Amino acid sequence: MMKPGSTSAFRRLSDHLDKNSDGYGPLRGTLGTARMGMIWLAANLVVTTLLTGTLFVPGLDVGVAVGMIVLGTLIGGSVLVLVGNMGTRTGLPTMSLTKASFGLRGSFLPVVANVLILMGWSWVQAMLAGVTVNFLVEQATGFSSPVLFSVLCQLLVVCLAIFGHAGIARVEPWLALVILAFMAYIFTAAFLAFSPAEFASIPQDVAAGWTPVAALDVVIATAVSWTVLSAEFNRLARTQSAGMIGSGIGYTLSTVLSMTLGAVAIGYVVLDGGEPVPFDPTVIVASFGAPLAVVIFLSVMATNTMVVYGMVASVVNMAPSRRVTFLPTAIVLGVISILGSTWLALLNQFTAFLVVIGALFIPVFAIMIVDYYVVRARHYGRDILRADGGEYWYSGGVNIAAVLVWLIGAGASLLLTYVVPSPIGATIPTFVLSALLYLAWAAATGRIDRTNRAHAHLLDLPETDRAHAGR
């Protein structure tokens, strides 16, 4: 029997997480550049990014594929860094920041889309880890149950995510170092077996349907998919430079290394006389064995922990209510993510999944960047923490203009992807169109702030801050 005045382990953990700012509102970061870099390095050293590289070869020349990987990562990474910096400057996660541009209630739309997308990511990655573990177990014992191993992998992820941002900050850097060591081994093994010239001479398979622009779009979409979490983790940075440099270098290195490893691994399969089946971890694990399987498993632990944490942070910060706390939300979403990891058929729709992410979130991030850096002159006030009224209320809590620009941008992205393919891809035109439309609306309605207010973290602003209220 519990002693009077004592509390359960569940309540103690829940209170601990809330006290450490895993609940509603801004968070003041404490991490330096190196720690932020390692967190982002571990985050995208992930099986989905690696397997994305297997999509491009032999459909493209290996050199062209690597070139598009680097270019797309730099373009998409710049959006990720800019949105992440908003998190460092304000202390808010990504979806909370949409309240300023979409309205206190209008932000519920991108939040719901974000949770659905992150849930899909968690399922895909758990499945890939489960399929990989199942492959090794079946080779060794003959026992096969990919669904069981997918569930077990996601169960471990949820346990890690429950410990919040403090646990992530401790675990991610070590996972990054281990993953990098195994990746170095795999690169070495590949290039000891075949020379760079042999990889470059792999015949291009035109029938695969890949073009450099299509590959570029996919790489940028990968960065966009990570931008939904950029402010979540960059708000952990102690300074803007720590956040921007750490995330920029960490994300760029991890993406280029992972996708290039995927392209090299599938190229190795081709040179070794195998069949280059894209986006199938068992094909490349069969060539490289346990070291690559370890990379895949650990990468899912590192990345899916951040994905589940991101879902929880989005829901907890959707509305200023003390009734929605971190731990119960993490458990509910964690259970859903575990159940969903049994839906293995989703793996066949990964490319379409990336297209949907790009269509939904490229316009959102274009609007957010223009709103914060141009329209609002790099300043959000404490009205963003309110439930209603104030500077970000717009019309009934919704900025209709932002919602319309979002819908137009998403439609344009799908149009340029499936109906009228653009010679420069869909992602860049969609971003530019959405940014210009939102900026034009802000200029036409006189909403551009031309004052020169000093930057202040939301925790440093007075409770009575109501600058430009009701505008």
Side-chain angles (χ1 to χ4, degrees):
M1 180 179 295
M2 188 177 294
K3 295 180 180 180
S6 64
T7 56
S8 66
F10 179 92
R11 173 55 57 190
R12 290 197 299 272
L13 178 57
S14 182
D15 291 343
H16 171 75
L17 291 173
D18 287 334
K19 287 178 182 177
N20 282 275
S21 298
D22 278 317
Y24 181 81
L27 180 154
R28 194 184 300 280
T30 59
L31 304 183
T33 303
R35 204 65 178 270
M36 290 301 303
M38 293 302 286
I39 286 176
W40 276 103
L41 194 65
N44 210 35
L45 290 173
V46 65
V47 59
T48 46
T49 310
L50 186 154
L51 292 178
T52 299
T54 69
L55 297 172
F56 306 144
V57 177
L60 294 174
D61 176 82
V62 173
V64 172
V66 173
M68 292 301 100
I69 289 169
V70 173
L71 179 60
T73 300
L74 292 174
I75 294 172
S78 63
V79 174
L80 181 147
V81 168
L82 286 172
V83 174
N85 189 47
M86 293 165 60
T88 307
R89 289 171 64 92
T90 63
L92 293 178
T94 310
M95 290 298 109
S96 284
L97 291 165
T98 62
K99 293 179 180 181
S101 50
F102 283 80
L104 298 179
R105 289 179 177 169
S107 67
F108 291 179
L109 294 172
V111 167
V112 170
N114 179 51
V115 172
L116 292 175
I117 291 297
L118 289 178
M119 188 64 76
W121 268 120
S122 73
W123 293 346
V124 168
Q125 292 176 159
M127 293 170 201
L128 291 171
V131 168
T132 302
V133 172
N134 180 75
F135 177 78
L136 290 180
V137 172
E138 186 177 15
Q139 293 286 96
T141 68
F143 175 78
S144 176
S145 180
V147 170
L148 172 63
F149 290 116
S150 297
V151 167
L152 291 176
C153 287
Q154 190 63 6
L155 178 61
L156 179 56
V157 162
V158 171
C159 291
L160 292 173
I162 281 175
F163 288 96
H165 75 269
I168 289 172
R170 292 191 187 100
V171 173
E172 295 285 330
W174 295 106
L175 289 176
L177 290 174
V178 175
I179 294 169
L180 283 174
F182 278 104
M183 290 179 73
Y185 167 80
I186 295 164
F187 271 119
T188 302
F191 286 111
L192 284 177
F194 301 102
S195 69
E198 289 176 290
F199 278 95
S201 66
I202 294 174
Q204 183 177 346
D205 180 10
V206 179
W210 281 100
T211 65
V213 167
L216 182 68
D217 263 357
V218 168
V219 178
I220 296 175
T222 300
V224 169
S225 71
W226 267 111
T227 304
V228 299
L229 293 176
S230 59
E232 262 84 349
F233 298 106
N234 277 29
R235 67 179 180 150
L236 306 182
R238 183 170 57 247
T239 63
Q240 291 184 67
S241 60
M244 296 184 77
I245 295 172
S247 61
I249 294 176
Y251 177 80
T252 300
L253 281 178
S254 61
T255 304
V256 171
L257 284 173
S258 295
M259 287 193 185
T260 300
L261 181 61
V264 168
I266 203 69
Y268 178 95
V269 171
V270 173
L271 292 172
D272 201 39
E275 183 180 357
V277 180
F279 214 78
D280 184 344
T282 63
V283 172
I284 52 179
V285 169
S287 295
F288 292 95
L292 186 53
V294 171
V295 169
I296 291 173
F297 176 77
L298 291 180
S299 72
V300 170
M301 295 302 103
T303 304
N304 249 12
T305 300
M306 297 177 73
V307 168
V308 173
Y309 171 81
M311 282 191 286
V312 177
S314 291
V315 172
V316 169
N317 282 275
M318 186 163 60
S321 172
R322 294 294 178 186
R323 291 174 295 179
V324 182
T325 56
F326 186 89
L327 186 55
T329 306
I331 291 174
V332 171
L333 291 176
V335 168
I336 296 172
S337 73
I338 291 169
L339 295 175
S341 65
T342 63
W343 182 28
L344 297 181
L346 182 61
L347 294 179
N348 298 325
Q349 305 298 324
F350 181 72
T351 303
F353 180 56
L354 281 179
V355 170
V356 170
I357 293 174
L360 285 177
F361 284 102
I362 290 171
V364 170
F365 297 135
I367 291 168
M368 290 176 67
I369 288 171
V370 171
D371 186 75
Y372 184 72
Y373 290 100
V374 181
V375 176
R376 302 282 181 174
R378 302 179 300 282
H379 176 86
Y380 283 160
R382 290 187 64 88
D383 278 1
I384 200 172
L385 303 176
R386 293 175 58 162
D388 54 55
E391 185 175 4
Y392 310 108
W393 188 241
Y394 296 99
S395 177
V398 180
N399 182 0
I400 301 298
V403 174
L404 289 176
V405 170
W406 183 24
L407 294 176
I408 293 170
S413 179
L414 295 174
L415 183 72
L416 294 174
T417 300
Y418 293 114
V419 181
V420 187
S422 165
I424 58 171
T427 53
I428 296 174
T430 298
F431 184 91
V432 172
L433 173 65
S434 303
L436 290 178
L437 285 176
Y438 189 80
L439 182 60
W441 166 78
T445 54
R447 292 177 177 268
I448 298 179
D449 186 348
R450 303 191 186 280
T451 62
N452 189 24
R453 288 179 286 180
H455 160 63
H457 193 282
L458 283 178
L459 289 176
D460 296 327
L461 291 174
E463 293 287 344
T464 56
D465 177 36
R466 294 291 181 266
H468 308 289
R471 185 171 64 178

